[in-house]
Amino acid sequence: MQAHILILAAGSASRMRGGDKLLETIDGLPQLTRIATAALATGLPVSVALPPDRPARAACLDGLAVTRVTVPDPASGMAASLTAGLAAVPKAAAVMLLLADLPDITAEDLRHLCTLWQAEPEAILRGAAADGTPGHPVCFPPDLRDDLMTLKGDEGARSVLVRHRARLRLVPLPGHHATTDLDTPEDWAAWRAAQAKPA
């Protein structure tokens, strides 16, 4: 199976009140650098959808073997990032949609998904929390590309998942790796405090 990872990193991060969650550092690396490095560790080609007005995000990718895709109108919603990124991915490729703001996702998580994906290439694989709560990333077979390219607004791929739910397989990842999404400074502070607690 030919497969590709598309990292969606063009969102405005408006709830950070002037900050940028993709520039928050984890283990000394900006979150965007960290997740792009994890994606590259799978051995798959990686593209990153970026806004036109956030040079600091682009700088996070310096030295990494990723394809940068500029999203001309990211404010119109997540679908704009998704379709712009998909347009840069080979048409015959399956695609893993990976949100850039998942601070708990690891290279091991992504490799685990890829292994299962190779064994079941016709399925839609979706990362889930250990308790089964659906999350990210989501792996789509190439025959669903046209469905994804018709998306509009800020719904993401939800309607495609509903329409093809018979093909959906949830893949539990450790803890809340697939569902932790930090949108505000308070979210980040609480997450860092939890990380600092002894196991």
Side-chain angles (χ1 to χ4, degrees):
M1 178 181 66
Q2 182 187 9
H4 203 106
I5 297 177
L6 172 58
I7 299 175
L8 302 177
S12 65
S14 57
R15 294 174 62 194
M16 287 293 289
R17 301 193 296 278
D20 190 337
K21 59 186 175 179
L22 300 190
L23 304 183
E24 290 283 335
T25 56
I26 300 173
D27 297 329
L29 291 176
Q31 164 59 13
L32 182 53
T33 307
R34 192 195 70 82
I35 203 159
T37 302
L40 287 167
T42 65
L44 296 179
V46 177
S47 292
V48 184
L50 295 162
D53 58 349
R54 299 270 182 143
R57 289 189 188 177
C60 288
L61 303 173
D62 288 350
L64 297 180
V66 301
T67 299
R68 306 179 192 204
V69 181
T70 300
V71 180
D73 54 345
S76 66
M78 186 184 294
S81 298
L82 198 157
T83 54
L86 273 179
V89 172
K91 289 185 177 180
V95 65
M96 176 191 291
L97 298 182
L98 176 59
L99 301 183
D101 58 356
L102 302 173
D104 287 334
I105 285 288
T106 66
E108 290 74 20
D109 296 333
L110 300 181
R111 283 194 288 259
H112 177 58
L113 271 166
C114 288
T115 298
L116 297 178
W117 198 15
Q118 291 285 350
E120 199 173 2
E122 297 305 312
I124 302 169
L125 299 189
R126 182 173 189 178
D131 65 4
T133 303
H136 295 275
V138 186
C139 305
F140 288 96
D143 66 290
L144 296 182
R145 178 190 180 94
D146 289 346
D147 288 45
L148 293 169
M149 289 297 288
T150 64
L151 294 173
K152 304 289 184 186
D154 206 31
E155 67 166 340
R158 190 177 303 115
S159 62
V160 178
L161 292 173
V162 170
R163 197 155 53 245
H164 298 281
R165 56 185 170 271
R167 298 170 66 179
L168 181 62
R169 307 284 184 272
L170 294 180
V171 178
L173 300 175
H176 297 283
H177 287 198
T179 55
T180 299
D181 178 8
L182 309 177
D183 289 324
T184 67
E186 292 78 15
D187 290 342
W188 277 94
W191 181 82
R192 291 189 193 284
Q195 300 299 304
K197 290 180 181 176

